[in-house]
Amino acid sequence: MFIQTQATNDPDTIEFVPGREVYGAGPIAFGGPEEARRSPLAARLFELEQVRGVQLNGESVAVTKAPNAEWLTLKPHVLAGIMQHFTSGQPVIEEPAAADGNGAGGGGNGASADPMHEIQEGKEPVSDADEELIEQVTELLETRIQPAIEQTGGEVAFHSMVGGTLNLKLEGSAYAMLSQIENMLRHYVPEVEKVQDYQDAIEKPGLQTEAGQAVKKVLDERVNPAVAGHGGHIALIDVQGARVYVRLEGGCQGCGMAGVTLKQGIENEIKRHVPQIEEILDVTDHASGTNPYFQPGKGGGESPVA
């Protein structure tokens, strides 16, 4: 998802353009949390104390800040909130329940469906570790790791522990810092053998198919060796029919050239070696990356590798 920003005549208001329809019946404006209860998107933005107004337009979200707030510090949180909303599968406006057969999300080719919602239908891992061990891990996350992660706009939280594998809920920059998180946890808690995002632990039969294995081979042997030189990594999340889901990690998360990397690099390489694949979808939270995806002026003169 590309999120661009546009200045307005009011310096306290900025338009955020996510590159997709926001609210086709708009504009609709909200002046506070109470008014925004019927809009999950607006309500999420009003959780930020310095947001004073939200207007949902056809293809943009106009956010008004408090006069004493600074866009430099507030903008990343607004961008993250918009990104999180559109990856949550929630509607922009909660309309009254429609009659059977007329609800949104019915038939069609599914092109507008949220990718993360589609791929999280498997069974999530359930902890089998004892409570004392879980408490030890949770305390480390809350007192040592999260305070460091949140300084770069990320979040990390305990999800489950199965055997020696610790599954975490990761957001934003936490993906790029997974190896550091793992090293610290393994140092203090010897029972931890592996640390991963809980989404990677959910069963995804598509990864075991012939197409899934072929895509994994392309990423392992052709794509990742190239992006590793730029500090990046491409994780294969799932393969469903002719559709591939990937997550851009490390230097690729939030890179201003990430869109070029995906379209000209990863997508072309996968389709060339696995011709049955028709679409590659990026589920990365670029809003919290080191070089934010949403920054204007992505430029076209750089290498197509992020």
Side-chain angles (χ1 to χ4, degrees), residues 9 11 16 35 37 40 47 64 113 118 140-141 165 170 177 191 197 199 203 226 255 269 295 298 302:
N9 293 330
F16 296 80
E35 297 178 21
R37 284 184 297 178
E47 290 176 3
T64 301
E118 291 181 14
L140 274 170
L141 290 171
T165 299
L170 304 173
M177 301 176 72
E191 291 86 350
D197 177 28
Q199 297 168 16
E203 285 188 22
C255 173
E269 196 71 14
Q295 285 186 344
K298 292 181 286 298
E302 301 177 36

Side-chain angles (χ1 to χ4, degrees), residues 200-232:
D200 296 336
I202 298 174
E203 285 188 22
K204 304 182 185 75
L207 297 182
Q208 307 306 318
T209 63
E210 183 178 348
Q213 291 297 307
V215 171
K216 184 178 186 302
K217 183 176 181 180
V218 172
L219 291 176
D220 290 346
E221 297 181 0
R222 307 188 68 86
V223 175
N224 277 318
V227 301
H230 298 258

Side-chain angles (χ1 to χ4, degrees), residues 283-300:
V283 301
T284 313
D285 176 8
H286 284 287
S288 298
T290 304
N291 299 302
Y293 206 59
F294 47 79
Q295 285 186 344
K298 292 181 286 298

Side-chain angles (χ1 to χ4, degrees), residues 1 64 70 74 94 116 124 178 185 206 227 260 282-283 295:
M1 174 186 291
T64 301
E70 295 291 339
L74 180 59
E94 291 181 339
M116 290 306 295
E124 294 190 8
L178 184 57
L185 286 166
V227 301
V260 180
D282 176 16
V283 301
Q295 285 186 344

Side-chain angles (χ1 to χ4, degrees), residues 80-95:
I82 294 172
M83 178 74 73
Q84 289 165 6
H85 170 80
F86 283 113
T87 57
S88 71
Q90 291 182 294
V92 172
I93 295 289
E94 291 181 339
E95 304 289 358

Side-chain angles (χ1 to χ4, degrees), residues 89-240:
Q90 291 182 294
V92 172
I93 295 289
E94 291 181 339
E95 304 289 358
D100 291 343
N102 295 325
N109 57 17
S112 63
D114 171 58
M116 290 306 295
H117 177 73
E118 291 181 14
I119 67 177
Q120 291 179 359
E121 296 178 351
K123 293 183 178 179
E124 294 190 8
V126 179
S127 296
D128 61 12
D130 61 69
E131 291 186 7
E132 183 177 348
L133 180 58
I134 292 176
E135 287 179 3
Q136 186 179 359
V137 169
T138 302
E139 182 180 2
L140 274 170
L141 290 171
E142 293 177 349
T143 61
R144 288 177 173 265
I145 296 176
Q146 174 58 22
I149 297 294
E150 67 185 11
Q151 293 180 16
T152 60
E155 290 187 19
V156 59
F158 177 84
H159 180 276
S160 57
M161 187 167 179
V162 182
T165 299
L166 175 62
N167 301 302
L168 302 177
K169 294 180 179 179
L170 304 173
E171 292 186 16
S173 62
Y175 286 110
M177 301 176 72
L178 184 57
S179 60
Q180 294 96 313
I181 296 171
E182 181 176 41
N183 289 340
M184 177 174 283
L185 286 166
R186 293 181 65 182
H187 174 76
Y188 287 102
V189 187
E191 291 86 350
V192 174
E193 300 172 1
K194 178 182 178 182
V195 179
Q196 64 182 8
D197 177 28
Y198 81 98
Q199 297 168 16
D200 296 336
I202 298 174
E203 285 188 22
K204 304 182 185 75
L207 297 182
Q208 307 306 318
T209 63
E210 183 178 348
Q213 291 297 307
V215 171
K216 184 178 186 302
K217 183 176 181 180
V218 172
L219 291 176
D220 290 346
E221 297 181 0
R222 307 188 68 86
V223 175
N224 277 318
V227 301
H230 298 258
H233 181 265
I234 313 300
L236 176 60
I237 304 303
D238 199 6
V239 176
Q240 294 183 359

